[in-house]
Structure formats: structure tokens, C-alpha cells
């Protein structure tokens, strides 16, 4: 910084003010300092600054290394929200289904001296690791809320499932099947609860089929199983299906098409996520959009408040919204469906 001050012809304190974006620096002076920094190849020494301020300006994020829509988009939204605040993210990707991996990732980030950590706790094991960890920095749990997690931000998954189910009921459907996600995932259970409660409130019997994972392939196999059971007269064909994510919905629609069933003429289908391409399914998929950008922003805001001593406990819920497209319609031809 002394070298920069000499080249720019200013004081050391002026260089410091420019680096810290202080407003009380004349425009031409700021430009001279920035030019000198570029000429000398100057970069702020983050480690030295951290020793002085006891803050690194870096937050850690523990996320899944998989392609799953929710954790991946949550990670991106957190990183974008942090960058908008002038902060940086140090990422640790693990298998969220293994508590030991999550614990190890938290310890690794703490060794880096991060100012706080977000754990995308989509799975029960990840949440358990957070509850058992002891840290000197704030930890925000993304993906679930509740009293046991002091700092938590989540999409209201039950509300999303309720609005999806209510949409089908408002169209006139009375026999609705929920293709649920894998039970160890908190989002899957919450969506199943929202579905059951909405059906029960309408005086209707809920039908739930649990999937082993979130893939289109599993949705396709579930659809084949449903069609086979209907053909053997072990089950009736529902007039509508609410799938726990868009990929399960895609696989289900494929199986229905193989059985010469049309969506939405024979069966209406609703997905969840508004994932890439869902508007271009055939037909375009009615789905629940998770406000993941808002989720990321709230996670970063909560971390900053906790770091600055403003918040020690807070549970924030973000509301999703329904996007109505062409995969849902009133039950039109209940007597025409033949398998």
C-alpha cells in the first residue's frame, strides 16, 4: 500500500480509503490510486486484513455434489447473494446422506476461518450433523425450519404442495395420486403432508406412492407400475397426479404416453420445482416454482445479522408459487379411459 501511495502521489490513508470504498475520496484521486494499483499489480492481502478485523469476508457452504435441482439452485442463489454483498463463498460438496461427511466438511470450513456457514440440509443426516456440531461462527440451515435449528431458512414446502393439490381440486378432480419423493428427504415429507392435509380438508382419501429417488427414470417406473395395477384391476386410474418434482412428473408422463393416455385429457399432471425445460414438456408442465433466489438472499442476510450480533435465532419461511400450464385441466372424459 505504501508503494501504491508513492506512485499515486497520495497518502497511505488515502489508499486505504480507496480500497475500502470510502465515499470521501475525490474522483480523480481515486482514479490515480486505482491506476497505480493496476500498474503495480497490487492485491489486497486478505489474510492480513482478517488478522486485523477478525473477519475474512468469506462464508462457507456445505452442499450436495449431485445434480439435484433444489440443492444446486440453492447453492447458486447463495453464491450470487453473497457476491452482491461483496462477500465470497468457500464450497464443500458432500453426500448429504452421510452425516460424517457433512461434519467433516463443516470442520474443514472452520479451519479456513470462514465468518459463517450455510448447510443445505435437504437430507435428515445433514440436519443431524448441524445439530451435533459445535462452532464459534453462525451456522444457517437452509432447507428446513424449526425450533431445534437456531438459524434456519426454508421454502414452505407444505404450502407449495397445498396450492398444487388445491389447484387440482378446484378443477374438479377428486381422485388424486401423489407421487412422493424419497422419504429421508425433508422436502419430500413436507410436500406429502401438504398433499394429505389438503385432500383430508376436502373430505377426500389421499393416495400416495413413494419414489426411491428424484429421477425421471423412477417416475417412469412408477408410472409403469401404476398402469400395470390398473390393467390388473388392482387399482383405479387417478384423474390427476401431483408429482413431488418435475423429473418424477416427466417420467410419469412418459409412462402414461406409452399406455396411450393423454395429458391432460385422461390424466392431469402437476410437478414441483419449475426446473429448466418444464415449460417445454409435452404438454408444458403445471408446476410449483420455488423462490430459490429469495432463499439465497435470506440465508446471506441472516448470516450477516448473526455475524454482527443482530440475530442469534431466527426461522425464515419463503413462499413458493404455482405456475399453471397445459398439463392440467378439468377431468373431461372419465368414461372414455380404457387400458
Amino acid at each position: 500500500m505504501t508503494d501504491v501511495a508513492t506512485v499515486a502521489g497520495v497518502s497511505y490513508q488515502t489508499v486505504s480509503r480507496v480500497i475500502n470504498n470510502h465515499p470521501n475520496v475525490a474522483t480523480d484521486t481515486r482514479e490515480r490510486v486505482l491506476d497505480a494499483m493496476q500498474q503495480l499489480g497490487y492485491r489486497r492481502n486478505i489474510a492480513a486484513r482478517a488478522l486485523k478485523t477478525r473477519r475474512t469476508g468469506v462464508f462457507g457452504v456445505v452442499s450436495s455434489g449431485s445434480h439435484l435441482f433444489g440443492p444446486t439452485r440453492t447453492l447458486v442463489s447463495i453464491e450470487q447473494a453473497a457476491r452482491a454483498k461483496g462477500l465470497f463463498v468457500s464450497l464443500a460438496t458432500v453426500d448429504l446422506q452421510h452425516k460424517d461427511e457433512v461434519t467433516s466438511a463443516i470442520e474443514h470450513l472452520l479451519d479456513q476461518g470462514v465468518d459463517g456457514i450455510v448447510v443445505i440440509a435437504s437430507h435428515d443426516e445433514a440436519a443431524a450433523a448441524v445439530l451435533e456440531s459445535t462452532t464459534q461462527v453462525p451456522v444457517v440451515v437452509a432447507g428446513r425450519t424449526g425450533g431445534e435449528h437456531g438459524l434456519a431458512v426454508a421454502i414452505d414446502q407444505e404450502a407449495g404442495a397445498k396450492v398444487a393439490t388445491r389447484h387440482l381440486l378446484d378443477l374438479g378432480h377428486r381422485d388424486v395420486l401423489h407421487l412422493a419423493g424419497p422419504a429421508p428427504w425433508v422436502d419430500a415429507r413436507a410436500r406429502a403432508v401438504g398433499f394429505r392435509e389438503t385432500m383430508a380438508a376436502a373430505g377426500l382419501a389421499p393416495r400416495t406412492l413413494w419414489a426411491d429417488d428424484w429421477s425421471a427414470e423412477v417416475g417412469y417406473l412408477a408410472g409403469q407400475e401404476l398402469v400395470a395395477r390398473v390393467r390388473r384391476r388392482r387399482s383405479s386410474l387417478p384423474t390427476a397426479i401431483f408429482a413431488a418434482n418435475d423429473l418424477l412428473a416427466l417420467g410419469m408422463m412418459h409412462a402414461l404416453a406409452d399406455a396411450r393416455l393423454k395429458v391432460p385429457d385422461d390424466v392431469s399432471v402437476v410437478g414441483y420445482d419449475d426446473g429448466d425445460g418444464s415449460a417445454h414438456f409435452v404438454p408444458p408442465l403445471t408446476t410449483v416454482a420455488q423462490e430459490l433466489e429469495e432463499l439465497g438472499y435470506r440465508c446471506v442476510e441472516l448470516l450477516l445479522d448473526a455475524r454482527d450480533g443482530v440475530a442469534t435465532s431466527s426461522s425464515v419461511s419463503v413462499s413458493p408459487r404455482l405456475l399453471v400450464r397445459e398439463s392440467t385441466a378439468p377431468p373431461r372424459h372419465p368414461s372414455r379411459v380404457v387400458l
Side-chain angles (χ1 to χ4, degrees):
M1 288 176 65
T2 301
D3 294 339
V4 172
T6 299
V7 172
V10 299
S11 68
Y12 179 96
Q13 290 78 11
T14 299
V15 175
S16 177
R17 284 195 288 269
V18 171
I19 290 173
N20 290 290
N21 294 316
H22 197 284
N24 296 332
V25 179
T27 301
D28 61 336
T29 302
R30 185 182 301 274
E31 290 177 355
R32 290 207 315 276
V33 171
L34 293 175
D35 288 343
M37 290 170 61
Q38 184 175 10
Q39 177 183 338
L40 296 173
Y42 172 84
R43 292 290 185 272
R44 172 186 288 188
N45 189 325
I46 299 298
R49 181 174 181 270
L51 287 173
K52 181 178 180 180
T53 65
R54 297 186 180 276
R55 292 180 181 177
T56 62
V58 178
F59 287 118
V61 177
V62 179
S63 181
S64 168
S66 75
H67 65 281
L68 292 174
F69 178 86
T72 300
R73 286 296 180 87
T74 300
L75 169 61
V76 172
S77 67
I78 291 170
E79 195 278 333
Q80 290 175 338
R83 189 149 33 91
K85 295 285 188 180
L87 306 169
F88 297 93
V89 167
S90 181
L91 173 64
T93 57
V94 298
D95 186 342
L96 297 177
Q97 301 179 70
H98 295 288
K99 183 172 64 176
D100 291 345
E101 288 192 26
V102 178
T103 300
S104 177
I106 292 173
E107 293 297 324
H108 173 71
L109 292 170
L110 290 173
D111 288 343
Q112 295 183 25
V114 295
D115 293 340
I117 298 173
V118 178
V119 178
I120 302 175
S122 309
H123 194 278
D124 288 342
E125 291 297 296
V130 175
L131 289 175
E132 294 176 10
S133 66
T134 302
T135 68
Q136 299 300 314
V137 300
V139 177
V140 170
V141 175
R144 63 178 67 203
T145 56
E148 70 274 20
H149 300 291
L151 301 170
V153 183
I155 304 292
D156 191 339
Q157 305 293 353
E158 286 189 25
K162 287 179 179 180
V163 73
T165 308
R166 174 52 58 191
H167 168 66
L168 292 171
L169 298 183
D170 289 345
L171 287 172
H173 295 280
R174 292 297 176 264
D175 187 2
V176 182
L177 170 70
H178 178 43
L179 177 56
W185 293 81
V186 62
D187 290 354
R189 296 198 304 273
R191 292 168 196 174
V193 168
F195 166 74
R196 289 197 304 269
E197 289 183 353
T198 305
M199 293 291 287
L204 300 172
R207 297 172 60 181
T208 302
L209 177 62
W210 290 91
D212 293 331
D213 68 30
W214 299 97
S215 69
E217 178 64 21
V218 166
Y220 179 69
L221 294 175
Q224 286 185 316
E225 178 185 346
L226 173 64
V227 169
R229 289 177 63 84
V230 172
R231 283 175 172 162
R232 293 195 301 267
R233 298 191 177 184
R234 293 183 179 179
S235 177
S236 61
L237 181 70
T239 63
I241 297 171
F242 165 41
N245 79 340
D246 292 348
L247 289 178
L248 288 172
L250 176 61
M252 176 63 71
M253 290 167 70
H254 183 184
L256 294 174
D258 283 354
R260 300 183 183 276
L261 294 169
K262 293 183 178 180
V263 176
D265 290 19
D266 301 319
V267 182
S268 286
V269 178
V270 177
Y272 203 109
D273 280 340
D274 189 32
D276 293 339
S278 62
H280 301 285
F281 288 6
V282 180
L285 183 66
T286 294
T287 186
V288 177
Q290 303 195 66
E291 302 294 348
L292 295 175
E293 291 77 12
E294 176 71 10
L295 179 70
Y297 172 81
R298 293 299 189 93
C299 285
V300 172
E301 286 289 307
L302 192 54
L303 266 183
L304 287 172
D305 285 346
R307 184 195 68 178
D308 297 339
V310 177
T312 56
S313 178
S314 182
S315 185
V316 180
S317 182
V318 178
S319 298
R321 57 192 173 91
L322 180 70
L323 298 175
V324 179
R325 299 187 180 120
E326 286 115 56
S327 67
T328 52
R332 303 179 198 172
H333 311 290
S335 62
R336 186 177 63 80
V337 179
V338 177
L339 289 176

